[in-house]
Amino acid sequence: MAGTAPLGRRERLAHWWQLRRPRERVVIGALAAAIALLLLWALLWQPLERDRARLARQLADQRAALADARREADAIAGLARSTPTAPPADAKAAIDAALSRQGLKAVGGNIERLDGDRWRLSLDAISFDSLTALLDTLQRTAGVRAVEVSVTARVEPGLVRADLTLGRG
């Protein structure tokens, strides 16, 4: 008795293909090609396009950050090139003059010498913005900087009490 072995998947597909007319084969082939192209577009092209757009945005952001960093570096280099003024011989007089220029002489600024290069300055009521401007001015013009700062809020809005220890260098 002659028996036939069951056909495998490949053989069945080849047999099915052979049974189709040439015109059907063309239509099925074109349909398979269109489906393959659609899958390639959806699974490969679209993700690549999204990544390209994301990378273009990141590049623009990074270029802007680089430009900011270069501007900051130029500003830092400019500060480094500027020659600091020589500190005055009498630091107490320079501190006093800085207080007068900023209009802070009236806020009760006590200046006392602690040792050779350190002074204590107490300001009873000063705005925080004025305090930071004063510290900047003292460093630039008087050649002293804050070594220790104690700031206490006052009842009046925007005012603080500041006790500063100033030193050279």
Side-chain angles (χ1 to χ4, degrees):
M1 198 164 157
T4 60
L7 295 175
R9 186 178 289 170
R10 239 184 222 163
E11 289 86 14
R12 278 186 285 161
L13 184 61
H15 180 67
W16 178 83
W17 185 255
Q18 292 300 322
L19 291 176
R20 302 295 126 210
R21 285 187 246 156
R23 188 173 217 122
E24 282 182 293
R25 287 182 193 170
V26 169
V27 170
I28 291 171
L31 200 60
I35 290 172
L37 285 174
L38 184 63
L39 285 174
L40 279 174
W41 179 79
L43 298 176
L44 189 65
W45 185 257
Q46 280 299 86
L48 286 174
E49 186 61 27
R50 276 193 307 269
D51 286 346
R52 187 203 59 79
R54 179 183 51 83
L55 289 173
R57 284 190 307 271
Q58 283 181 348
L59 180 63
D61 292 343
Q62 289 174 352
R63 283 185 176 157
L66 178 62
D68 288 343
R70 285 183 176 156
R71 273 193 301 278
E72 292 294 325
D74 290 343
I76 290 170
L79 290 174
R81 282 190 300 271
S82 66
T83 58
T85 58
D90 185 14
K92 183 175 188 224
I95 294 169
D96 217 15
L99 286 171
S100 296
R101 271 193 311 274
Q102 300 252 334
L104 299 173
K105 196 66 174 157
V107 294
N110 282 341
I111 305 170
E112 64 179 87
R113 187 179 200 124
L114 297 176
D115 56 31
D117 285 339
R118 293 181 354 155
W119 294 266
R120 167 143 335 264
L121 173 61
S122 298
L123 300 165
D124 291 333
I126 184 172
S127 72
F128 197 78
D129 292 339
S130 297
L131 178 62
T132 56
L134 174 66
L135 290 174
D136 182 50
T137 302
L138 287 173
Q139 187 166 353
R140 281 187 290 111
T141 61
V144 295
R145 63 180 178 86
V147 176
E148 183 180 322
V149 177
S150 173
V151 179
T152 309
R154 293 189 47 97
V155 176
E156 299 89 5
L159 295 180
V160 294
R161 173 179 169 71
D163 293 310
L164 312 169
T165 302
L166 304 170
R168 288 204 188 252

